[in-house]
Amino acid sequence: FLISSSKDGQPMLRNAETGDWIGTFEGHKGCVWSATLNAPATHAATASADFSARLWNAITGDELHVFQHKHICKSVSFSDDCQKLLTGGSEKLLRIYDLGNVDAEPYVMQGSPSQIRTAQFTAEDTLIMSSCADDKGIRVWDVRTNTIVTTLGTDSPVTSIEITDDGRYITTADGKTVTFFDAMTFTPVWKRTMGYEVESASVCIKNDVFVAGGTDMWVHAHSMSTGEEVDCGKGHRGGSRPSEVRGSSTSTISGKRRKVSL
């Protein structure tokens, strides 16, 4: 499946192989900045400019809960065990909600220097990686101690963070750079400089390919080994952000600007 966020406030679920529309999650009253599915694709979550994150039944499309925020919510992601929901945004806070008790107060982590652009769980949900809209670097948070344990240096603010399904590698985009990190040591495995500003990048290790999209309005597929471009597609307006996939797929999929994640 593919889930897409949208500036029209209408996140959609599609068949990742064919692109066919399955349904629309209706209820937000503002731009949806981020949309994601849990691992078995039974639940979806969205983050919006209407100061909320929302939990959905991905099978029926029903809204299950609204997590109210005090400012714009920019990022949302599920934990690996699907029991927690992580949000971040203009309040400069990370919030972790217990999906087994959605009415409980969230676990809050403070210390981000500016609004949070994106955040993801890693290391069996014991660590969080986050980036800011106005500051360089990737901050690594320890959920157990509620502290920032290290910061990975980047040349520009990071616009996307993706962690592979096995948790071994991290792919990031900042400026014109795509970097592939070892998730155990947080050291770069390789770094590729693109000829365009990159908004998001996604990898398929099995096929030795990474996909990047950005301000040139093209979606580029590159060899992970050499960085050489192996395919390219156009069709977006205003920049593009490639998506991730839940389930197996051999197709190259891209998402409209803002965040597309599944």
Side-chain angles (χ1 to χ4, degrees):
F1 298 100
L2 182 151
I3 189 171
S4 61
S5 53
S6 173
K7 289 193 288 184
D8 65 6
Q10 301 288 311
M12 295 183 184
L13 186 67
R14 294 180 181 274
N15 183 309
E17 290 283 356
T18 65
D20 291 342
W21 175 84
I22 296 173
T24 301
F25 300 101
E26 298 181 343
H28 280 294
K29 296 177 175 62
C31 167
V32 175
W33 289 93
S34 178
T36 186
L37 289 168
N38 65 356
T42 57
H43 291 80
T46 51
S48 174
D50 66 7
F51 295 14
S52 77
R54 303 191 183 211
L55 180 68
W56 310 82
N57 183 317
I59 298 171
T60 65
D62 292 338
E63 182 182 281
L64 301 178
H65 194 76
V66 177
F67 301 97
Q68 202 63 48
H69 290 61
K70 295 180 181 178
H71 212 308
I72 294 170
C73 190
K74 284 287 191 74
S75 177
V76 64
S77 62
F78 287 100
S79 59
D80 286 345
D81 65 7
C82 304
Q83 299 303 306
K84 299 179 183 66
L85 191 70
L86 171 66
T87 69
S90 295
E91 293 178 82
K92 307 178 186 178
L93 302 174
L94 291 170
R95 289 184 172 91
I96 302 175
Y97 293 92
D98 181 357
L99 296 182
N101 185 9
V102 292
D103 293 318
E105 289 297 312
Y107 181 72
V108 178
M109 305 182 76
Q110 304 181 59
S112 181
S114 65
Q115 66 172 306
I116 294 166
R117 173 77 179 251
T118 185
Q120 299 284 338
F121 282 105
T122 188
E124 297 181 341
D125 303 328
T126 61
L127 301 178
I128 292 170
M129 305 188 72
S130 72
S131 69
C132 296
D134 304 317
D135 292 86
K136 301 175 184 178
I138 301 169
R139 283 152 191 85
V140 182
W141 308 70
D142 190 318
V143 176
R144 298 158 295 187
T145 61
N146 204 328
T147 57
I148 297 173
V149 293
T150 190
T151 300
L152 310 184
T154 62
D155 295 329
S156 306
V158 172
T159 52
S160 78
I161 301 171
E162 180 196 77
I163 300 167
T164 56
D165 288 341
D166 60 9
R168 293 183 58 190
Y169 299 104
I170 303 156
T171 309
T172 66
D174 71 281
K176 294 184 177 181
T177 303
V178 176
T179 307
F180 197 55
F181 289 93
D182 185 313
M184 301 298 107
T185 63
F186 298 119
T187 56
V189 176
W190 53 252
K191 183 181 290 189
R192 308 291 185 216
T193 301
M194 306 291 103
Y196 52 91
E197 294 287 330
V198 184
E199 289 203 18
S200 186
S202 183
V203 303
C204 178
I205 295 175
K206 179 181 178 181
N207 294 336
D208 190 45
V209 170
F210 72 91
V211 179
T215 56
D216 70 345
M217 296 184 288
W218 293 74
V219 179
H220 305 262
H222 298 263
S223 164
M224 289 178 60
S225 301
T226 66
E228 179 183 358
E229 187 173 294
V230 296
D231 197 5
C232 186
K234 190 176 183 180
H236 295 290
R237 295 181 180 178
S240 61
R241 293 175 63 85
S243 70
E244 305 160 14
V245 179
R246 289 294 180 210
S248 60
S249 175
T250 56
S251 303
T252 298
I253 302 168
S254 67
K256 184 100 169 82
R257 191 180 178 183
R258 305 307 179 195
K259 185 177 178 183
V260 182
S261 61
L262 19 167

